[in-house]
Amino acid sequence: MTAALQSDYPPESEWTTDDLDALPEDGRRRELLDGVLLMSPSPTRKHQIIAGLLMAELHADCPDDYDVTQGVAVRINRTRSFIPDVLVTTSVAAAREPSKYEPHEVVLAIEIVSPSTRSIDRVLKPALYAQAGIPYYWRIETEGGELEVVTYRIDAVNEVYVETGRWTKFVDTGEPFPINLPISRITPRAR
């Protein structure tokens, strides 16, 4: 075990993906940002329902060259590791049955914005996913009761995402594969 795990204190320098791998599998969501450990609160019921329904909907239309999953880490480098809410990867990468992906294996990263992660999901993660070369990014806004899916495609030259649509009724895009998804199919039932 690393020094960080032998006491109540973090490592002397920075957290690395090796430190993450040495932590127990306890269901906590741990991400790394430039060697700083980030721990998010447990997701809400609404967040998890959106993620589950979205994964199922994308999986139903997903061509054989791709795979859809949720909550699997993307290891950008030794000091950056994020866990998209839903992600589309290559089928070759999925065949490894990985517990983490490399950025070049991820085709689409999707984040569902929660009150505690607004800045991370709207600013930080898209910037770092784009730098890592992930071709597509979706952000699902949940404020105000109605869902909005904002879609992006990478501008690889400038390593930034360019918005390709804001969807409130249907997500109708050909990227990364043909998708015609009614937003009502990923909206949780009102309780």
Side-chain angles (χ1 to χ4, degrees), residues 29-188:
R29 187 179 189 108
R30 296 179 178 99
E31 298 177 300
L32 285 181
L33 172 62
D34 297 335
V36 175
L37 181 66
L38 305 175
M39 291 181 58
S40 300
S42 294
T44 64
R45 170 194 164 275
K46 180 179 180 178
H47 182 282
Q48 291 303 87
I49 289 172
I50 294 167
L53 292 172
L54 179 60
M55 183 182 122
E57 289 293 327
L58 290 176
H59 178 77
D61 291 331
C62 185
D64 289 343
D65 346 353
Y66 298 116
D67 187 69
V68 182
T69 191
Q70 62 178 327
V72 180
V74 177
R75 293 284 171 88
I76 295 174
N77 60 37
R78 278 185 51 77
T79 62
R80 285 186 186 162
S81 179
F82 295 114
I83 304 171
D85 293 314
V86 177
L87 58 160
V88 175
T89 67
T90 66
S91 59
V92 171
R96 295 188 292 108
E97 293 294 331
S99 61
K100 49 198 151 287
Y101 287 101
E102 298 294 321
H104 71 274
E105 298 173 315
V106 179
V107 178
L108 167 63
I110 303 171
E111 297 290 351
I112 301 164
V113 178
S114 298
S116 62
T117 62
R118 282 188 295 259
S119 296
I120 292 170
D121 295 337
R122 291 177 182 159
V123 180
L124 180 69
K125 283 187 176 180
L128 298 178
Y129 288 153
Q131 272 184 0
I134 296 172
Y136 302 98
Y137 178 72
W138 289 11
R139 186 183 80 233
I140 301 179
E141 294 288 343
T142 61
E143 287 181 1
E146 299 295 319
L147 298 187
E148 179 182 51
V149 178
V150 186
T151 57
Y152 300 87
R153 176 188 323 112
I154 196 168
D155 170 348
V157 173
N158 295 307
E159 295 182 330
V160 296
Y161 286 118
V162 175
E163 186 176 311
T164 58
R166 287 182 175 262
W167 314 92
T168 57
K169 300 293 182 209
F170 288 87
V171 177
D172 188 7
T173 181
E175 302 170 326
F177 51 85
I179 298 168
N180 188 340
L181 170 65
I183 301 292
S184 62
R185 305 267 299 269
I186 63 169
T187 302

